[in-house]
Amino acid sequence: MITTEIKNKILDAVRANRANYPSDAKHAASLGITTSVYSAVKNGQTERVLSDANWISIARKLGVSLRGEIEWKTAKTPTFQFITAQLEACQGSSISAIMCDLPNIGKTFTARHYVKTHPNAIYVDCSQVKTKLKLVRKIAGEFGVDSKGKYSDVYEDLVYYLRSIDNPLIILDEAGDLQYEAFLELKALWNATERCCAWYMMGADGLKEKINRSIECKKVGYTEMLSRYGDRYSKVTPDDGKERQRFLMEQARIVAKLNAPEGTDAGEIARRSAGGLRRVYTEIEKLKRV
């Protein structure tokens, strides 16, 4: 049962997300509801307009937790600043890039935050849509393009829409999980939207290894795809082991200082986390729930 309190949290997220879409109709489509239902929800109606399943689906799309969570402030870590600057450059000039770096440094958090604050930008977790069909339908749905029809129509409608709006940006997280056919379709989409759409691919070292290995094996499409994404892999963490550990610890300290209860030793939280930001969250959550 979705409580009224949770519904109101979801409504707040819906209203905040509206600015990222050119019309109510597109926003409604991206949330998977009709325009009439959307209008009722937007005006604050929460009873007998949506099923619990619909509320859950919207909450998932907008990243609203259905359980109580601690308040989390956005820390402008070096990773946050680096990725945000890259995303702004890509979106502003309709160019593409690849970010390959360590896990647990804030890549996903930064990408999701960027999408919440920039119109015509979407985030896709590729680990959840590994196939060509699922990936393209997911991208279309996030933009509010009909994603349920014949695949060829969905593809063509998506391309048309991307070429029609201002500076669209598609962030592909966990891109190393995509199947081969999905990579080829991304190349085709890039070709169809050249100079009209920005693409930003993210992953850990496995993504870099997968692309390089495929290029060495002369697998069709990978050399061309890497060229379209700038022919290089971006990263923010230092290569030197000691410098990298200092970098991670400083990031953890910055996040802990901003989010931990007053009087907490941020340095101690960073040490307990070993520089991992998920562990920082866990440690702070334990402190705030005492």
Side-chain angles (χ1 to χ4, degrees):
M1 180 71 177
I2 308 298
T3 66
T4 300
E5 181 183 3
I6 291 175
K7 289 177 182 178
N8 285 329
K9 281 178 60 179
I10 298 172
L11 280 179
D12 289 341
V14 168
R15 294 185 182 110
N17 189 240
R18 170 62 183 86
N20 293 345
Y21 291 84
S23 67
D24 284 357
K26 287 295 181 187
H27 194 206
S30 75
L31 299 176
I33 57 179
T34 65
T35 52
S36 59
V37 170
Y38 176 86
S39 179
V41 169
K42 186 180 175 184
N43 290 327
Q45 189 174 337
T46 59
E47 300 304 322
R48 294 185 293 278
V49 289
L50 287 171
S51 67
D52 281 359
N54 287 138
W55 283 112
I56 291 170
S57 177
I58 294 172
R60 175 181 57 78
K61 289 176 184 292
L62 300 182
V64 179
S65 175
L66 300 182
R67 66 181 182 89
E69 284 194 339
I70 62 174
E71 180 187 1
W72 199 253
K73 299 174 183 176
T74 300
K76 295 185 178 180
T77 64
T79 295
F80 181 93
Q81 294 176 341
F82 180 86
I83 293 178
T84 298
Q86 286 212 318
L87 292 173
E88 288 176 341
C90 285
Q91 187 170 20
S93 301
S94 296
I95 56 177
S96 304
I98 300 179
M99 168 77 166
C100 292
D101 213 325
L102 298 175
N104 202 14
I105 60 171
K107 298 192 299 295
T108 297
F109 179 90
T110 302
R112 288 185 179 277
H113 181 274
Y114 184 93
V115 166
K116 288 180 180 178
T117 55
H118 291 76
N120 296 338
I122 67 160
Y123 169 90
V124 177
D125 179 355
C126 296
S127 68
Q128 305 301 310
V129 286
K130 300 176 184 179
T131 68
K132 176 183 78 172
L133 271 63
K134 287 184 177 180
L135 175 64
V136 172
R137 290 184 188 278
K138 175 66 173 177
I139 294 172
E142 289 296 317
F143 277 111
V145 175
D146 181 16
S147 61
K148 296 181 174 62
K150 185 179 176 182
Y151 177 75
S152 59
D153 291 336
V154 172
Y155 181 94
E156 290 175 10
D157 286 348
L158 173 60
V159 169
Y160 177 81
Y161 185 70
L162 291 175
R163 295 181 65 87
S164 302
I165 62 175
D166 293 331
N167 301 105
L169 167 68
I170 299 168
I171 303 173
L172 302 164
D173 198 4
E174 304 290 355
D177 287 353
L178 291 173
Q179 295 180 2
Y180 178 51
E181 283 192 348
F183 268 103
L184 291 181
E185 199 75 334
L186 283 178
K187 182 168 75 76
L189 273 171
W190 192 99
N191 289 344
T193 59
E194 185 177 1
R195 293 188 294 275
C196 298
C197 180
W199 299 79
Y200 194 80
M201 195 177 288
M202 297 197 310
D205 290 338
L207 171 61
K208 180 179 178 179
E209 291 173 6
K210 180 176 183 176
I211 295 173
N212 287 344
R213 185 170 61 251
S214 297
I215 290 173
E216 289 172 6
C217 295
K218 302 187 185 304
K219 201 166 185 178
V220 173
Y222 279 89
T223 298
E224 297 93 325
M225 190 195 68
L226 182 60
S227 173
R228 286 157 173 76
Y229 281 78
D231 265 328
R232 62 186 294 270
Y233 305 99
S234 299
K235 66 175 300 187
V236 64
T237 58
D239 292 324
D240 179 77
K242 290 183 178 179
E243 288 185 16
R244 182 168 58 246
Q245 189 56 33
R246 283 195 291 269
F247 175 93
L248 296 175
M249 293 294 286
E250 178 60 14
Q251 282 211 141
R253 189 194 66 79
I254 291 171
V255 173
K257 184 177 180 181
L258 185 63
N259 288 282
E262 188 175 352
T264 304
D265 185 345
E268 177 58 26
I269 292 178
R271 286 188 288 274
R272 288 204 298 268
S273 73
L277 297 187
R278 291 189 184 91
R279 182 62 186 274
V280 171
Y281 182 91
T282 301
E283 293 295 328
I284 293 174
E285 187 175 39
K286 287 191 288 188
L287 290 172
K288 289 193 172 182
R289 293 189 184 281
V290 172

